[in-house]
Each structure stands twice: as C-alpha cells, then as structure tokens.
Amino acid sequence: MAKQSNPPVYAFHGGIHPPENKAQSLALPLGKPSLPGELVLPLGQHIGQASRPLINVGDRVQKGQAIAINNGFLSSFLHAPTSGQVSAIESRPVAHPSGLSDMCIILTPDQADEWIELEPLENWRDISKTDVLAFLAEKGIIGMGGAGFPTQVKLQGAHKHPLTHFIINAAECEPYITADDMLIREKTLELILGIEILQHLVEAKHVVIGIEDNKPTAIAALEKLLKERQSSIQVAIVPTKYPSGGEKQLIQLLTEKEVPSGQYPADIGILCQNVGTCVAVYEAIKHGRPLISRFTTLTGDALKAPQNVEVLLGTPISHLLDYADLQDKKLTRLVMGGPMMGFTLDSSDVPVVKTTNCVLAATKKELPQPAPEQACIRCGMCEQACPASLLPQQLLWFAKSQEHEKAEHYNLFDCIECGACSYVCPSSIPLVQYYRHSKSEIREAREAAVKSDIAKQRFEARKARQEAEAAEKEAKRLARQSASAKPAAKKPAKPAPEAPTPAAPAVDEAAKKAKIDLAITKAKLKKLEKALLEAQEKEHTEEISALQTQVDETKKDISELETKVASTPVAPTKKATAPAMSDEAKKAKVDVALASTKLKKAEKQLAEDPDNTELKAKVSGFSADLKTAQEAFEKLGGNNTKPATGSKPVLSDEAKKAKVDVALASTKLKKAQKQLVEAPDNAEIKAKVAGFEKDLKEAESRFAQHNTALADNATPAVKPAMSDDYKKAKVDVALASTKLKKIQKQLADDADNEVLKTKAADFEKALKEAEARLSSLDNNPAPDTPPAKKPTMSDDYKKAKVDVALASTKLKKIQKQLAEDPQNSELQGKAVEFEKTLKDAEAQLAALDVPVTPEPAKSKAQATDEDATRKLKIDAAIAKASLKKAEKALSKAKELNSEDTSSLEQQVEKAKAHADELEHALQNGTASAEPVAQANEQSAEFKERLKKQKVAAALAKAQVNKLKRLLAADPEVESLQQELAAAEKTQQDEEAKLEQLTNTQENR
Amino acid sequence: MSLLRITSPHTHRAGRRTSWVMQMVMLATVPGLITQTYLFGYGTLINLVIACLTALASEALILKLRNRPIGFSLSDCSALLTAVLLALALPPTVPWWLTVTAVSFSVIFAKQVYGGLGNNPFNPAMVGYAICLVSFPVPMTQWIGASEIIQAGAVPSFSDSLAAIFGSLPAIDSYTMATPLDAFKHKDGMMSSEAYASIAGLQSANLVSWMYVNLAYLAGGLLLIWLRIITWHTPVAMIAGLGLMANVFYGLDPDNAASTIFHLTSGAVMLGAFFIATDPVSSCTSNRGKLVYGLGIGILIYVIRTWGGYPDGVAFAVLLMNFAAPLIDYFTQPRAYGHKKAKKGLTIGGEK
C-alpha cells in the first residue's frame, strides 16, 4: 500500500478482536427486495424532535414526495419511499432499544413506483453554503452511521472552527456488518463525488477516508478511482480492531488527537461523516433524490441467504427476513445493528429506518445466552480493552453501590458503550448495562436538581414580589394616614388629588409583577438552553426533544411577558381629545382598578389551569381593558396635551433592564423608608435611604434615557419618574408628620422645654417642605386645580391646631398653679397671656375652619354631579361585565349547539345596548362636568381670598379680645384703650370685607 | 417465535471465564510445584492435597451458611487457587493441622467473611500464611535442606513426608535446615564472606536449590503474562523494588549486606511476584497503580528481611500493600480519553 502516500495511522488504547463474521453477507451480490405490502415510516428516525406529517390519511403520495417536515432545529424531513396511498398515521412498534411504539406514517404502495419530479441542485458550487445545507435538510439527509444526527446541523457545527480533517468513516468495525463495504464497492464514484461536495461545503485541509484493512476489495476500488481522478482525498487503512469505527477512536487513529471530553469533533477542527451519508448527499444534490432507501446487511445463521440489500425505508424487517430466507425455528435473537452495539427486537414487524445498517438474525449457537454473572475479580481485562481508557472494574463497583459521584469522577460519561469491556469480562458481567443504568440515574438526578433549582428560584421571586407588595402597601398606608390627618372637610376636592396615589401603585404593581415574571422566565430559559446544549453535546436523544419544546414554550412566554411589560406601565394614549377632568380621572381610576382586579383574578385562575384557552383569551382581553384604562388614566394624571401616538413603544433590552433596576431600587428604597419610619433618628438608615434614592434616580434616569431614545413620545419616561418622586414626597410627609407628632406629644408633657419646641418647629418646617413638595408634585399633573392648594391649607390648619393644643395645655397648667397660689401676680399675668395665646390660636384655627364649612353651592352641585357620574360608571361597568358574561354564555352555547342561542343572542344585544347607553350617558356626564370644573377653578381662587379674609378678620377679632381682656385687668391704662379702639376698628373693617366676599360668593 | 431481549453487547469472548483464569494460574504453578517436590520431597504435594480438600470443605460450609449456590461458587476455582498457593508457600513438613488451619482461615476469614470472591481486601493466602507464621513460628520456618548437604543425604521419601505431616518423624531434624534467608539473617555479626563459608544454610547447594525454585516460578509467571492473565506491571515493579533496595545496600556495605542476586533468588520472591502480588482482587487495578503497588511490596520485602523479625517478608509486604491499594487506586487513575490529565484522588464535584 506504500505506492500512494497513505496518511499515518496512530493507535488507540484498548480495543478487542471479536470474530469478524463478515464473509457470510458478502457471498451474495447486492439484493433488491420487492415492494412490501405496506411501508411503515416512523416520524422520529433521527436524533431530535420527531418530524411533523405533511400529509393526511388517504392522501396519495408520489415517490420522493416530502411527507413529513422538520419540527425544529434538530429534526429532519421524511419522504415517501414509493408512490401510494397514506393508509394511516398511527402508533406502531419501531426500532428502538426501548421496544416502545411511536407515531408512524403507514404507506400502502400502489406498485407504480411513480417518482415526483426531482429537482437537482446543479449550481451547488455557486450558491451560498447555507442554501446547500437547507437543500440537504429538505432532502432528509441524516447521519447514517448510527446516531442519526441531521447532517445539515453537523455541517453547520463544523463551521465553528477551521477544519483540519474531514474524515469519512468507512471503518465499519462491528462484526457481521458489511453494508458500508458493499456501498463502497457498488457506489465508489458516487461516494467520491459526495465527499467532494461535502469538502466544498466544509473546506477541510485534509480529507481522509478511514477504512479497516479487512475490506481489501473496497480499498482497492477506492484507491483506483482516486488515482484516476488524481484526487487529494487520502485513504487511511487502519488495522481491524473494534471499535476503530467509533468516531472518537477513528479520529484518534487518523489524527492522534482526542476529542475533549464533553465536546464535539468540530471543536478540534475535525468532521466525521459516514460513507452512506456521503452517497446520500451526492444523490440529493446531483439527482435531487431524497433519502428514501439505504444499504442494509441481512445476516446471521438463521438466514439461509445472508446478503446486503438496498432497501426502501419503512420496509418491515419481516419482509427482509423472508427475502433472505429466514429459518424461523433457528432464530433466537433478532438484533438491529451489530452484535456489539445493536439492540434486540421484540418482533420482526418493525421497519427499516434511516440508521438501520444491519439486521442480525442469530441462532442460539451464534449468540448464546450470556453466562450467569459472577463476581468481579478486578482482573483488569476490561481496563485493557476499554478504548476510552476508563477503569470499568471501578465503575462497576460504583454503579453497583450507587456511588454516582464517584462514578462520574471516574469519567463514567466518557463511556461510549462500545461493549468491549463486557465482551472480555471473564465473569460475564453485563458492564455496559450497569453503566447505562448509572448514567440514566445520574441524568434523572440532574433533571431533578434542575427542577428543584427552578422551584427555589420561583419561591425566591415570589418572596421578593410579596415583599415588594408589602412595602407598597405600607407606603400606601402611610400616605393614607397622612392624608387622613388632614382635615376631612374637603369632600368635593378630594378624589382628584387622591386619584394618582392608589392607581399609580396599581399600575406599578402590575408592571413590577410582569417584570419579575419576565426575569424569572428569562432565567428559566437560560437554564433550559444550557441543559439543551448539554444534552445535545452528550447526544441524549430523549432529553433533547423535551428540552427543545420547553425552550420554545419559555421563549413564547417571554415574548408575551415582554409585550406585557412594555405595555403595562407606559401604555400610549388613544383618546387624546378627551378632556382631563377630575371625574374623568376618577372614571379611569375605577376602570383601572376594575380591570386590574379582573385581570388578576383571571390570571390566578389561569395559573391554576394553564391550558384553559378560554381563560387565556379572557386574560388577554382583561389586560387589553386594563391597558386602555391605564392609558386613559395616565393621560389624566399627566398633561392634557399628551400626543396620541398609537404605536406601542417597544422597549429595548437595556431599557427593560433599566426598568427592572428602577423597580428594584424603588423596592429597596421603600423598605429602607419603612425602617426609617420605625426609627426616624437612625442615621445609618437615613444614609441608606439617601443611597437608595440616588440609585433609584440613576436607574430612573437611565431608564428614561433608554425610553426616550426609543420612543419619541417622552411622556412614558417622565411619568414613572414623577410618580416615584410623588411617592417619595409622600413618604417624606408621612415621616415628618410622624416625627412632629412624637415631638408634640413630648411637648405636651413638657411644655416649657425649649429644645423640644425648636425641634417641633424644625419638624414642622420639614413637614411643610415635604408637603409643599408633595403638593407641587400634585400640581404638576394638573396645575392650578384646587386640590393642589389643599395640602398647604391643611398644613396651616394643623399648625393652628397644634398651637391651640399647646396654648391650652400651658393655660391649664398655669391655671392649676394659680389655683394653688392665687396671690401670685406673675402667675396671673402668665395665665392671662396664655389665655390670649390660646384664643389667638383658636381664632386662627377657626379662620382655617371657616372657609370650608360653608360649602359653595357650585361645588355641591359638582359633588352631586360626580356622584351621579360615578354611579353611572359603576352601572356601565356592571353592564359591560354582564355583556361579557352574556357573550361568553353565547359562545359556549354556540359551541354546544344549544337551542337557546337566539335568546342568549337577544340577551347579549340587550346587554350591549344597555352598556352603550350607559357609556353614552357617562360621556355626557363627563362633558357636562367640564364647565363645572372650570367654574370650580375660579371659585377655588375666590375661596382662597375669602379664606384669607376670614383669617384676617379672626385675627383682628382676637386682637380686640386680647386688648379687652388686658383692659379689664387694668382699666386705667390709656394706651390700652386706644389700642383697643384701633383694633376694634380693624376688626370691623376686616369683617366688612369678609361679608362682602361672602356675599360675592353667595351670588356666584 | 420468542425472541431474547438482551442489551448489547450480544457476543462474549468464548472460553475465558473466571474459572479458566484460576485454572491457568494453578497451571502456571506447576513448574514450581515440580521443582519444590523434586528438591524438598513429597511434602508439598501432600500439603497441596490437604489444602485443596480443606479449602473446598470450608468454602462449601460457608456458602451453605450464607445460603449461596455452592456448586456455582466452588466452580470458580478461587478457593482451590488459594489452597494451591498456600500449599506452595508452607514448608513441606508442616503438620497437617497447620495446613488446615492456614487454609480454612484464609478461605473463611480472609475471603468469605468479607463477602466471598471479589470482596476480600487482603490476599487470602497470605492472611492464612501470616496467621500461621505468627502463631506457629517454629514449624513455619523448618525447611528441608538441599539433599547434598543435609544429614540424611537425600530428600525425605514419601513415607517420611507422610510421617512428618501426620505423625511425628523423629528424624525430621536430619532433613531440615535453615533456609538461606534464615541463615543469613542469623549470621550474628559475621561478615558475609565468613557466613557463606561457615553456615550450613548458606552453602551453595542450598542457594542453588532455592534459585531453581524461583526460576521455576518465574517461568510460570511468564506463562501468565503471555496468557494475558496478569500484566507485567506488578511483578516487574516488585522485583525492581527489591532489586533496587538490595543493590543500593549491597553497594553501600558489601561485607554485611546480601547481594542482589541472593535476594532475588531466595525465599518466595518469584512466587510472590507472579502469583501472590498479582492477585487482582486485593491489588491495585490500574497499570500505574500496579507499578506503585509492586514497588512498595519489593521495598517492604527488603525492609522486613533486613531489619524486621522474619527471614522472609513477602506475606507481610503483600498484606501491608493490600492496605494501601485503595488509596493508590484513587491516585493512579489512567488519563481517560478526551481528558487533558488523569484525575486524582476523589475531588468530587470540583471539576467538570
């Protein structure tokens, strides 16, 4: 063989020399069995997901017509091996070690063997390689060596690294099998041309055909042809030793390189293809012929005429056994594949598939029953035979004692299950079986670990969500508390300023939830993808398909969640023309609350019953409702001039990330704030809060940036920032008021404490500032509306109240002292002074109280109006709900072909009409509320003046009273008398002014 | 048609069963057995019969107690092999009850108590041997001398051997003589040259007969390697270990230390190297492990012979290395295909 430069051949560890038994099947020429009565074509003939049928039962198909399409990345096409009719698509026993059944397309041939028009890929050299790969995929080409790995996927993977070697595996090391040998002999040219096509696709430095030296005829044919063609393809003749045809072993034989554990040959720049695959590639590209037949060895002593046959896929084994003259009585073991790695078949009804290289019909003498297993004496023969250099005897020990970790440590997963160890074992221990069992147990344990990881993640996410919700609740509670601390008198103005508070968190909450869900789902996807990759690497067929489906599902979930996240917090507006009225806002709020409640309920149901499509539809409907409601509400909360962009702002990943950051930061902030409320003097927490605030702001600004960059509509970005500021301000108010209260309480106990007083004053100031900020934020969305004034007013009011309380406390104390010591003039003076202060304070309080007590008629009217609107809205909501209910009932009835469809239809109509009516009324009401609101605005201004006037009047009155009292105490003082007179005059003036104003107001 | 459902592989190497392995090992002892019988009389053969009967009986007894299939386990010949090795290791004239004690102890306590074949941590034959050596040192160190130099002038006859084993042979002293190792150990400060000249056990006839015995076992061992029943690693490493030690110390002090050849050709070196240390169950399993294991035995043999209390140290050296075998196994795993380097120890979960 030295005449041509044969590439060097190296060695691999271990290996065995079982009797070859190859001569039997080479005695006869290639056979061509007749068409069987029916062809059984399993949908899963390859690694990966099963194909999807393209035809229906009863369809007539032509030879070569695609009858099943690939179902995902790791899947393949399937073609009709002959023309005929699809008689069934059903579960049939298939050729699989499990012996289980699988879905098959059953084809009844019409004996016409009529080809579909074939379209060869003539220009494969000119078009892009991806197109050629796609073409190969459509022709159903998969690795025909054994694993059935889709060829296009393998070739794609080969582009990862520049290839040094393209190895064509013609070693065929298993005893008995001669299919590849026969194929090389019969189709030498096709093989070489196929290799050339593949070489064009992969562009490897060396192309080597690896063939065992027990196939001299094939080697001679190859070398002759290669010499004729002056081809650069080399033939490497490797010594006959099992398992030299194993991919990893052949690579070691030809390149001396080892495929790193857990990696592909492509990772070290090597690609292996089986000879059958090369021929199939040639036939697909040159003739357009899909993979519908293959060479299979029929052998074994139970056959009278062992031979190789070119057989149509789907041909039942029994048909082939008949063809090869089976002696039924002799047959004890029917093996698909070789005696080393093949698997036994329960019956001969299973069909030939794309990877069936041999059918071994063995007699009892040929493949005797294994001897009973004896104890392992650690003789080490298995170790000497192991081509992966493992320690099978140790692995057996660990497998038996279920020490999986140790087994893994001893590289159990590098076992290629070649069976060499079992073959040589003097104690007849079925070692490979032990390893398979251990491997599957380890895999199961890994899957369980992944599952528990996911469960843990879910639990943690849920906890985080619950904490966030609790923090939100707490913030809301504080906000409510500070709100209720304000005078409860401003009824008409109340809903408008309150509106943003409860609704905004609702929106936030939904958004947050969606975001958290999204994050969880993404994490899940990542994990799944990793698992999938692992499974693909280790070629765990069963896992791959399951994981792929899971990944797909998760991806779908993610896209859903993403749209949800994108739409929930910053939904664009639709009704741009609608006026921004307080009742409108309220309506929106009610709608939002209603919709979100419904949505939540539906989601909860959905969570319990995830497959319910009806519920899913409901959820999507509700979320749409919620979106609309939120849009409406947001528009009211924001500026009236907000543009009505219809397009949804699709958030970039970064923006999304920023959003999540915002949510996170705000959660942290809230928590810290809560702690701060509990311990207001803790500097550490304060610093923390400040830090979190900064974080939050940064995150917000980042988010805003991303958001603005994405959508020209800037409002969505402003909005959350605003609402957060608002929340913050509120929390500040709550904090300050808490502190103030505390100090006041202390002050009440110890009225003369100057320090406390200054502190109280400080806190009051702080409170005021915070409130001012809050009010300014309140003002922002709807500037110059009366509600904005409220907080300032209430502030004054509170202050006044505090003053009153203080003064009265002091007075009481002094009076008590005075009672004990009536002669003390100093005390008397003090008492008088305190009385005065008290009166002043009371006057102030009264002044603050006064403006609210006489309710303006208009505002009353508005209140009634609003009440009516609210009622209307609730009616509308109810009507809508009943409409939906009726519609649902109708659809159900239709589904069930019920007879009262018509009556239900009527009901729906009625409900629709009612809902429309209400909606109409509601809109009218809203419209009529508009002027009222405008008037309201004016009246608010007026009220403000009135209030001021009242205060002035009260003050004057107080002054008068004071002077009078002083005068009573000391009637001789002239200056006091004069002062009194002046004060009385001022009082009169002020009261006159007040009267005037009141009159004006009444006139309006 | 009822088809068998069996996982792959479906074919097995014909003939090479565990019992075949045991039988081959026993067969490989035949040259040694013949040589020993020729040089020291029929005592070894008689012991062999006693040992085999005892082994089968005790194994059967324990199998019965353990409710195991008796015939199935007896047919693996492992008990027989233990008996054969023990019989070869015991002096030809030990009383029968000593053989019975040694063999039954090996089979029952060193093997069956641990769970039978494949589960014993220690070499059963050596456990039995060591027990007797410790318990009955006198009969365990009485060896027949070379026929040229003993008083009787010839090896004991069959009847004399029988008498020595089953009764008492008053004239036993006329046959026995210290083994070269024993003699050399008790040369009492004499220079080596003086010892060779003056001590009976160190006369060349005695040295030569022991060399023949060792050569015979070497031949049997080579047969085992040729049959691929054992690998070369353990015996070569053990001989190398012993040779290396002997060489070093002989080089340092040729006047007092024994030569390398003396060490390698006396005592049970070859029997130990090819038949005892290679017991797969209790030895190391990877090729590298076997090298370490054999080297350790060789070194220990020299240490025990030279500085220990016993003239020969094969049994103790093997038992000591049996202790170490699992540990050595952890640290001498071969580099598996596709791995850059061999894994060591048991760092579980640490690597991928």
Side-chain angles (χ1 to χ4, degrees), chain A residues 97 248 258 261 331-333 339-340 342 346 374 377-378 383 388 393 405 409 411 414 423 426-428 436, chain B residues 1 4-5 7-13 16-18 117 280 283 285 287 330 335 337-339 343 345 348:
Chain A
K248 289 176 171 179
E258 291 180 11
S261 177
L331 181 70
T332 56
R333 215 188 299 190
M340 294 304 298
D346 279 340
Q374 282 176 287
I377 53 165
R378 307 211 310 160
E383 180 199 343
Q393 69 273 48
E405 283 195 332
H409 181 72
N411 307 314
D414 288 308
Y423 177 79
S427 292
S428 321
R436 282 198 195 109
Chain B
M1 177 170 62
L4 272 179
R5 241 176 120 41
T7 56
S8 67
H10 305 281
T11 174
H12 297 274
R13 183 156 65 181
R16 293 205 157 203
R17 309 272 302 140
T18 298
L117 180 63
S283 76
T285 194
N287 290 345
Y330 281 143
R335 183 188 66 87
Y337 180 101
H339 290 265
K343 286 184 180 172
I348 285 167

Side-chain angles (χ1 to χ4, degrees), chain A residues 13-19 241-243 340 374-387 390 392-393 418-432 435, chain B residues 8-21 227-229:
Chain A
H13 180 268
I16 53 170
H17 300 273
K241 180 162 95 169
Y242 178 86
M340 294 304 298
Q374 282 176 287
C376 169
I377 53 165
R378 307 211 310 160
C379 63
M381 290 182 193
C382 45
E383 180 199 343
Q384 311 302 331
C386 180
L390 303 177
Q393 69 273 48
C418 67
C421 50
S422 303
Y423 177 79
V424 299
C425 182
S427 292
S428 321
I429 303 169
L431 291 158
V432 179
Y435 306 150
Chain B
S8 67
H10 305 281
T11 174
H12 297 274
R13 183 156 65 181
R16 293 205 157 203
R17 309 272 302 140
T18 298
S19 54
W20 175 84
V21 172
L227 284 172
R228 298 205 183 178
I229 286 170

Side-chain angles (χ1 to χ4, degrees), chain A residues 663-681:
Chain A
L664 238 141
S666 80
T667 313
K668 274 190 200 162
L669 178 61
K670 260 179 220 156
K671 213 170 161 188
Q673 279 173 346
K674 207 173 135 195
Q675 286 176 351
L676 193 57
V677 171
E678 279 163 16
D681 292 326

